[in-house]
Amino acid sequence: MKINETDFVAEAEAETYAHKTITVPMADLQKQTAKTLAPLVQFVEAAINSDKIASADLQVSDAEVLVQLQTSIINLPLAYGKNIHKIMVDDGEVDVNVYMIIAAPAINKSKLRIDELLDATTFVKQPDQALDQFTAWMQTQLAVLADHEAEATAD
């Protein structure tokens, strides 16, 4: 999937992209990670198939954790839309990628981690692979959270 850089920035700034939020307890995310993340993958896949940028959010109900799966042209959350235009150089048509984002106080000093999952074209061609990679990434982030929280408790 490609998008005109100027159109992307306008959509991100205006927050007119496809958006869905689900809320789950931490236990579900920890014990049934793939099943819990699957609706996010499905939503983003449908959005890409409709040529829309998207944000699928998973809010953890009993912890200060937000997980997002977003399409973007740059590794910044769509919430930073007003800053994205400062970085772009008007390249015309650009590739869209899918990014995995976690926002949590205990994840790192910036309280935010973002990693590229796949380019949008591969994502829609191989949604099972996307879910597997997203699940593995999420399990790693959950382990990091647990380690950092254990360190904070020990201090």
Side-chain angles (χ1 to χ4, degrees), residues 76-151:
L76 277 177
L78 292 172
Y80 293 27
K82 295 189 183 348
N83 296 324
I84 293 173
H85 79 278
K86 296 175 186 175
I87 300 167
M88 305 320 308
V89 292
D90 200 19
D91 283 336
E93 292 283 311
V94 292
D95 291 322
V96 175
N97 295 312
V98 179
Y99 292 93
M100 306 169 290
I101 304 166
I102 184 168
I107 198 68
N108 58 32
K109 286 185 179 183
S110 70
K111 301 177 182 156
L112 180 75
R113 178 166 182 101
I114 182 167
D115 291 293
E116 184 176 328
L117 176 56
L118 294 166
D119 66 89
T121 304
T122 304
F123 184 91
V124 296
K125 286 182 181 174
Q126 300 172 353
D128 291 341
Q129 175 190 342
L131 179 58
D132 290 347
Q133 288 179 230
F134 188 25
T135 299
W137 178 86
M138 188 71 253
Q139 290 167 334
T140 299
Q141 303 318 311
L142 290 170
V144 168
L145 285 174
D147 289 348
H148 290 173
E149 288 168 0
E151 289 170 10

Side-chain angles (χ1 to χ4, degrees), residues 62-84:
D62 52 356
E64 202 175 331
V65 176
L66 174 65
V67 177
Q68 298 174 298
L69 194 61
Q70 294 185 343
T71 56
S72 187
I73 60 173
I74 188 169
N75 65 341
L76 277 177
L78 292 172
Y80 293 27
K82 295 189 183 348
N83 296 324
I84 293 173

Side-chain angles (χ1 to χ4, degrees), residues 29-86:
L29 185 57
Q30 291 170 326
K31 293 178 181 148
Q32 302 174 11
T33 308
K35 182 179 178 186
T36 304
L37 297 177
L40 279 67
V41 171
Q42 293 162 357
F43 180 78
V44 170
E45 180 186 10
I48 294 169
N49 283 329
S50 299
D51 287 328
K52 295 185 191 245
I53 19 182
S55 179
D57 301 355
L58 184 147
Q59 181 67 58
V60 177
S61 60
D62 52 356
E64 202 175 331
V65 176
L66 174 65
V67 177
Q68 298 174 298
L69 194 61
Q70 294 185 343
T71 56
S72 187
I73 60 173
I74 188 169
N75 65 341
L76 277 177
L78 292 172
Y80 293 27
K82 295 189 183 348
N83 296 324
I84 293 173
H85 79 278
K86 296 175 186 175

